[in-house]
Amino acid sequence: MKYITTKAKILSLLILAISLFGCEEDDEGNILPEVVAGFTQRIVSGTGTVSFLNISENAQNYQWDFGDGTTSTEIEPVKTYTNGTYTVRLTASNIAGATDTFEDEIVIAIPTPPAAPMLPITFDGNNVDYQASTFSGAAFEVVANPAPGGSNDVASNVGAITNSGAEFEGIFFNLGTAIDLSTDQTITMNFWAETAIDVLVKLEEGTGADTEISASHGGSGWEMLSFDFTSTDSFSRFTMFVDGPGTTAGTFYLDDIAQMGSSGGGDTPTEAAPAPPSRDAADVISLFSNEYTDITVDTFFAGFSAGAGVVDMQVAGDDVKQYADLDFAGIETIATSVDLSMMTNFHMDVWTATGFDFIAGVVDFGGDGFAGANPDTRGDERTTLQAGMWTSIDVSIADLQAAGLTATPSDFSQLILDVVDVVGTVYVDNIYFYNESSGGGDMPTVAAPAPPSRDAADVISLFSNEYTDITVDTFFAGFSAGGGVSDVQVAGDDTKLYTDLDFAGIETIATSVDLSMMTNFHMDVWTATGFDFIAGVVDFGGDGFAGANPDTRGDERTTLQAGMWTSIDVSIADLQAAGLTATPTDFSQLILDVVDVIGTVYVDNIYFYNDGAAGGDTPTVAAPAPPARDAADVISLFSNVYTDITVDTFYAGFSAGGGVMDVQVAGDDTKLYTDLDFAGIETIATSVDLSMMTNFHIDVWTATGFDFITGVVDFGGDGFAGANPDTRGDERTTLSAGMWTSIDVSIADLQAAGLTATTTDFSQLILDVVDILGTVYVDNIYFYKEAAAPPAPATSLPVNFESNETLSGVFEEGDGVTGQPIANPDASGINTSATVYEFDKVLNAAWYSGMFNIFPSDIDSGAGTTFKVKIWSPKAGINVRMQLEKEGNQGPIVTYNLDQTLTTANSWQELTFDFSSTPLNLADGYDKIVIFPDFDDVGQPAGDGSVYYIDDIVQE
């Protein structure tokens, strides 16, 4: 065997030698197989795991570059990515040294798991898991509102509960944010049923014992139910039973589960206020913000405040303050005054469901307390709040000083919040002062707004991920002054960072750029601090810098807002008016100039564009959804949220432009007016009475910024150009490029601008693009009536409930006792007034239940010690007690009370309480009146469900 093996080796060597010599003359004609690199991939979307399938040919070695800084030499690797877009490159080679490269772009989008629901539960939120857990036979699903009307007339999603007929069947939600009953103990919901039925709500999984309460539904479709708890614990499970111990089968619907304070309401923000930027602790004095460490605040609702009070709540997991039915309020730091001398700006975020003016007033006590020898000073900032969105108020201390605040604000003691001319509910957050001059490491956390898609011929981009950029010589020319420029990413978006910038030049001198076909310049700028910023567009005239032809420059000056992206969008015409040549065919420089200070800025989306092409620039998000309102309070011409009236035309015969069409934006119906000069929307066939409306609203989007006029026209009841004059009131608004602008104007302002005082024949709405032709998207065109201000507690005697008055409260609310002003149910006898106060002493209420009013100042000691009140009772022979107190008194002031017997039933009777028979001295200071109907401190019988009415509390 050994001999055979040796022979085989010799034979093999001989064959190899022959092969080598035989190929010598034919090497050039021998072509090695070509290497072809290639791969496909399978992506597991839920995890971001990618399995690569290698389909390369004639290769033995592989080098993978996964696009995130990692590599592999495996044949078919498996890689797990995070969200993003990656370019994967495979280089394949063989042993002869031949190579080929193949690359492909993959997009990883791992879906975010749906969030657990939290109050309010509307069934309309994005990526929220509204699927309730069921038990004992019940079924649940989310459906479209099957019968809008009653307390829920909005076409939206609702929850559907189907009972099988078993006892104690129901549903529950495990909440992402616990319900905190420490301040707000009332939960409301819209509930639909066709027959009268009881609904039980139980709160579980809490810091204390489970608590439950039921409410009765009248069977009339959508009704608002209220569940008033007495617990002060927190609970993370919301459970409900329809006809709990009963066996009623059928389908019921629920919506708008919300936690409300005693003030009522219902319009609440669903998104948190914008998060403030990170700052050094020494550069911030925060009164209230999750982002910073707050100083000690004495009170957020000082004693002189007017409104329903302030409560702490959460919006999208962020702590906020809710001021319900606010007229004005004081936030005080008197115990430890605050030195603002090192701060440069004041900031706060405010949200309201309705638009009105709002004043923030910063007060300094001068170092010696309120009304001391040194003058108290105050500087105000007045802002128009936008309905249904957060408004960021950011004002310099210098501006507040110009408005009246002392030049040396070393004793800040009060912040005044003032709702102008109305009473309104507001949510506030991020109340703080800051020093913007320190500069440094603050950076944006969200990318600049993505530009709209445009045809390549309509854009000249210097820097943007959205478009193809031209060649730029430098982003920091030699004459620039500052800390330089660097490339960074913000939320995955390429961005230029200019640190400690004074000024900088971006140059395209090597290949000058012709802007003659462009209409606008755009750039986005972010800074952690607010200052003025100049963008200057320079043309070298075709012969280089300082050549025979003049160099020209047009500037746009903008005030940058701290901690947010500012979009600068200016027409070439405006830049030409500012000095740029009329023939900008040699654009060579863009100057970035921070005015008067040194500042750090992030810039993105630097480009010129042509907006005259019309068509393709479109909004990607729908217009803001209007708040829910009663049908009687809205006249809608066009909106998905409300029921529209009949409109004759949205483009009357006299209109000028490219016409109007119906489109959808993010699933929302919208009107698109292309190349618009002006258009008329008409309701002539059936004129519209606006006399009960208080405001007009329209949302407008355009890809470019220009002025826009809305004109409301009334034909005077006799048609166009009739004997009665036609009248028109205009509102002029500057539209912001690339975003929705909400125009909301009062009818009173339109009347001041020319509209008739008796708006009973609205017939036209004029849409007018000022000076140019522009393409606009419009939505939510409607008139509405602002909700009437809720009644406020009486401030002085007499109390007659005729001037939107009420009492401060009732007790015991936990038993279900209620009180409210209503129309006089028995306007006869000694009391024919229009409004009285109803007190419902419900079944099993505490025997001592009653009503009270706390006056803002002491009862007049010189007006007499006799008090009278008119009372209507369903029962005769009851005892009524009146009591005079000092609210919060823990000292020597004595409480006095007197009893009187009501002798009649079902009619008005006046009772007299003469305190002259007691040692009462009103000069000691009494500010509270308490009335106890059917007061029996001997038998102490529980309430029997009787309803009492009172009116005309007078002092003699």
Side-chain angles (χ1 to χ4, degrees):
M1 181 64 70
K2 180 178 179 182
Y3 173 77
I4 295 174
T5 302
T6 302
K7 285 286 188 178
K9 288 181 180 178
I10 294 171
L11 180 60
S12 297
L13 290 171
L14 179 61
I15 293 171
L16 176 60
I18 293 171
S19 300
L20 290 174
F21 284 106
C23 293
E24 181 177 356
E25 294 182 1
D26 210 24
D27 277 350
E28 293 182 0
N30 182 25
I31 301 174
L32 293 174
E34 180 184 5
V35 173
V36 179
F39 64 85
T40 61
Q41 64 275 336
R42 185 178 73 254
I43 301 174
V44 181
S45 61
T47 64
T49 299
V50 181
S51 299
F52 292 98
L53 176 62
N54 194 332
I55 58 173
S56 302
E57 300 175 8
N58 305 316
Q60 290 83 38
N61 302 310
Y62 305 98
Q63 181 67 44
W64 295 85
D65 180 345
F66 295 121
D68 65 347
T70 63
T71 61
S72 174
T73 57
E74 297 181 57
I75 297 175
E76 293 187 333
V78 176
K79 167 73 177 176
T80 299
Y81 286 93
T82 58
N83 282 347
T85 300
Y86 303 90
T87 299
V88 180
R89 181 178 291 105
L90 170 62
T91 300
S93 61
N94 63 19
I95 58 176
T99 65
D100 186 38
T101 299
F102 175 81
E103 66 179 37
D104 193 13
E105 184 178 87
I106 63 173
V107 178
I108 304 298
I110 305 171
T112 302
M118 57 179 287
L119 298 192
I121 295 176
T122 64
F123 302 104
D124 295 310
N126 292 323
N127 206 33
V128 179
D129 184 4
Y130 288 121
Q131 188 57 48
S133 299
T134 60
F135 52 89
S136 302
F140 179 85
E141 62 179 329
V142 176
V143 300
N145 187 345
S151 65
N152 189 15
D153 58 0
V154 179
S156 63
N157 290 332
V158 300
I161 302 174
T162 300
N163 274 10
S164 64
E167 294 182 356
F168 292 106
E169 57 184 328
I171 67 168
F172 67 84
F173 295 99
N174 288 323
L175 303 175
T177 299
I179 299 171
D180 183 0
L181 297 181
S182 62
T183 53
D184 295 346
Q185 296 173 289
T186 299
I187 291 177
T188 59
M189 77 168 70
N190 278 316
F191 191 83
W192 184 96
E194 292 183 306
T195 58
I197 202 164
D198 287 341
V199 178
L200 175 70
V201 168
K202 184 176 183 179
L203 303 182
E204 303 175 286
E205 303 294 329
T207 58
D210 295 350
T211 182
E212 61 185 53
I213 197 164
S214 64
S216 297
H217 187 281
S220 62
W222 284 108
E223 298 177 16
M224 177 66 77
L225 302 185
S226 181
F227 303 85
D228 299 312
F229 293 90
T230 58
S231 170
T232 57
D233 292 311
S234 296
F235 301 89
S236 58
R237 175 174 290 179
F238 178 93
T239 304
M240 65 178 291
F241 307 80
V242 180
D243 194 26
T247 56
T248 301
T251 299
F252 311 90
Y253 302 97
L254 70 152
D255 199 6
D256 304 322
I257 307 172
Q259 182 179 13
M260 305 304 303
S262 59
S263 59
D267 292 343
T268 61
T270 57
E271 296 180 344
S278 298
R279 291 186 171 93
D280 292 339
D283 292 331
V284 182
I285 297 174
S286 175
L287 279 64
F288 180 74
S289 175
N290 281 7
E291 184 69 23
Y292 308 127
T293 302
D294 299 332
I295 64 171
T296 300
V297 174
D298 304 339
T299 177
F300 283 88
F301 200 76
F304 61 82
S305 304
V310 60
V311 296
D312 291 303
M313 61 181 298
Q314 283 203 327
V315 173
D318 190 41
D319 295 324
V320 301
K321 299 281 185 183
Q322 181 205 44
Y323 288 85
D325 303 332
L326 180 65
D327 186 357
F328 53 86
I331 300 173
E332 292 185 335
T333 60
I334 299 174
T336 306
S337 59
V338 178
D339 186 356
L340 302 181
S341 58
M342 298 301 294
M343 300 294 109
T344 61
N345 287 67
F346 166 71
H347 180 98
M348 74 181 299
D349 296 313
V350 188
W351 190 98
T352 178
T354 57
F356 45 74
D357 278 13
F358 180 86
I359 291 173
V362 176
V363 182
D364 186 288
F365 279 174
D368 58 357
F370 174 67
N374 298 326
D376 304 338
T377 59
R378 171 174 166 175
D380 286 353
E381 175 70 3
R382 181 166 177 158
T383 305
T384 299
L385 302 181
Q386 297 298 310
M389 66 180 66
W390 286 99
T391 300
S392 292
I393 300 171
D394 200 289
V395 57
S396 70
I397 300 296
D399 284 349
L400 292 173
Q401 289 169 329
L405 183 66
T406 177
T408 55
S410 57
D411 187 25
F412 163 72
S413 302
Q414 283 180 340
L415 177 66
I416 305 300
L417 311 181
D418 185 5
V419 175
V420 180
D421 294 336
V422 298
V423 173
T425 293
V426 295
Y427 298 77
V428 300
D429 197 6
N430 302 320
I431 310 171
Y432 59 89
F433 302 86
Y434 67 96
N435 179 358
E436 71 165 356
S437 61
S438 60
D442 298 338
M443 62 176 294
T445 56
V446 296
S453 298
R454 292 185 169 92
D455 291 339
D458 292 331
V459 182
I460 297 173
S461 174
L462 278 64
F463 181 75
S464 175
N465 281 5
E466 185 69 23
Y467 308 127
T468 301
D469 299 332
I470 64 171
T471 300
V472 174
D473 303 338
T474 177
F475 283 89
F476 200 76
F479 61 83
S480 305
V485 62
S486 57
D487 290 305
V488 299
Q489 281 208 330
V490 175
D493 191 41
D494 294 327
T495 309
K496 296 287 184 183
L497 166 62
Y498 288 86
T499 55
D500 299 333
L501 181 64
D502 186 356
F503 53 86
I506 301 174
E507 294 185 334
T508 60
I509 298 174
T511 307
S512 58
V513 178
D514 184 354
L515 301 181
S516 57
M517 298 301 293
M518 300 295 109
T519 62
N520 287 69
F521 167 69
H522 180 99
M523 74 182 299
D524 296 313
V525 187
W526 189 100
T527 176
T529 58
F531 46 74
D532 279 13
F533 181 85
I534 292 173
V537 176
V538 183
D539 186 287
F540 278 176
D543 58 356
F545 174 66
N549 298 326
D551 303 338
T552 59
R553 171 173 164 175
D555 285 354
E556 176 69 3
R557 182 166 176 157
T558 305
T559 300
L560 302 181
Q561 297 297 310
M564 64 181 68
W565 286 99
T566 299
S567 292
I568 300 171
D569 200 289
V570 57
S571 70
I572 301 296
D574 284 348
L575 292 172
Q576 290 168 329
L580 183 67
T581 178
T583 55
T585 57
D586 188 24
F587 163 70
S588 302
Q589 283 180 339
L590 176 67
I591 305 300
L592 311 181
D593 185 4
V594 175
V595 180
D596 295 334
V597 297
I598 303 293
T600 292
V601 294
Y602 295 76
V603 299
D604 198 3
N605 302 319
I606 311 170
Y607 60 89
F608 301 86
Y609 66 95
N610 178 2
D611 78 348
D617 294 342
T618 62
T620 56
V621 296
R629 293 185 170 94
D630 291 340
D633 292 337
V634 182
I635 297 174
S636 175
L637 278 64
F638 181 74
S639 175
N640 279 7
V641 171
Y642 306 128
T643 301
D644 299 332
I645 63 171
T646 300
V647 174
D648 303 339
T649 177
F650 283 89
Y651 199 75
F654 61 83
S655 304
V660 62
M661 65 181 72
D662 291 305
V663 298
Q664 280 207 330
V665 176
D668 190 36
D669 294 328
T670 308
K671 296 286 184 183
L672 166 61
Y673 289 85
T674 55
D675 299 335
L676 180 65
D677 186 357
F678 53 84
I681 300 173
E682 292 186 332
T683 60
I684 299 175
T686 307
S687 59
V688 178
D689 185 352
L690 302 180
S691 58
M692 297 302 292
M693 300 294 108
T694 61
N695 287 69
F696 167 70
H697 181 98
I698 183 173
D699 293 316
V700 188
W701 189 100
T702 177
T704 59
F706 45 75
D707 278 12
F708 183 82
I709 291 173
T710 49
V712 176
V713 183
D714 186 290
F715 278 176
D718 57 356
F720 174 66
N724 298 327
D726 302 340
T727 60
R728 170 173 165 175
D730 285 355
E731 175 73 5
R732 181 166 177 157
T733 305
T734 300
L735 302 181
S736 295
M739 64 182 66
W740 285 100
T741 300
S742 292
I743 301 171
D744 201 289
V745 56
S746 70
I747 301 296
D749 284 348
L750 293 173
Q751 290 169 329
L755 185 65
T756 177
T758 53
T759 51
T760 57
D761 187 23
F762 164 71
S763 303
Q764 282 181 340
L765 177 68
I766 305 299
L767 310 181
D768 185 4
V769 175
V770 180
D771 295 335
I772 60 173
L773 299 184
T775 292
V776 294
Y777 294 77
V778 300
D779 197 1
N780 301 320
I781 311 171
Y782 60 90
F783 300 87
Y784 68 95
K785 177 183 177 182
E786 280 192 322
T795 59
S796 62
L797 292 166
V799 179
N800 58 24
F801 307 106
E802 298 299 333
S803 301
N804 209 28
E805 283 183 322
T806 187
L807 298 181
S808 299
V810 298
F811 53 94
E812 298 288 328
E813 287 184 290
D815 293 342
V817 173
T818 61
Q820 61 182 340
I822 67 164
N824 189 344
D826 185 7
S828 63
I830 64 170
N831 189 16
T832 59
S833 67
T835 308
V836 299
Y837 190 84
E838 177 189 71
F839 177 74
D840 186 358
K841 192 171 181 179
V842 298
L843 186 65
N844 296 322
W847 63 271
Y848 54 82
S849 295
M851 65 205 89
F852 65 92
N853 195 72
I854 304 168
F855 298 99
S857 56
D858 291 342
I859 296 170
D860 186 355
S861 62
T865 57
T866 297
F867 296 82
K868 296 181 178 179
V869 60
K870 293 173 183 173
I871 300 185
W872 189 102
S873 167
K875 302 183 296 182
I878 67 167
N879 180 58
V880 178
R881 171 169 288 188
M882 176 179 283
Q883 187 162 290
L884 301 180
E885 302 178 12
K886 178 67 174 179
E887 171 64 12
N889 173 50
Q890 301 295 328
I893 300 177
V894 178
T895 294
Y896 291 96
N897 53 63
L898 291 175
D899 293 350
Q900 292 289 346
T901 300
L902 194 70
T903 58
T904 62
N906 300 317
S907 64
W908 288 99
Q909 180 179 345
E910 186 173 63
L911 298 182
T912 300
F913 299 86
D914 184 359
F915 285 89
S916 64
S917 60
T918 72
L920 171 71
N921 182 4
L922 287 175
D924 289 340
Y926 291 80
D927 61 3
K928 182 175 183 179
I929 292 179
V930 186
I931 299 174
F932 305 83
D934 197 10
F935 184 85
D936 181 357
D937 56 356
V938 178
Q940 299 186 356
D944 61 3
S946 295
V947 178
Y948 305 90
Y949 303 94
I950 70 165
D951 200 7
D952 297 330
I953 308 171
V954 299
Q955 179 186 14
E956 295 180 351

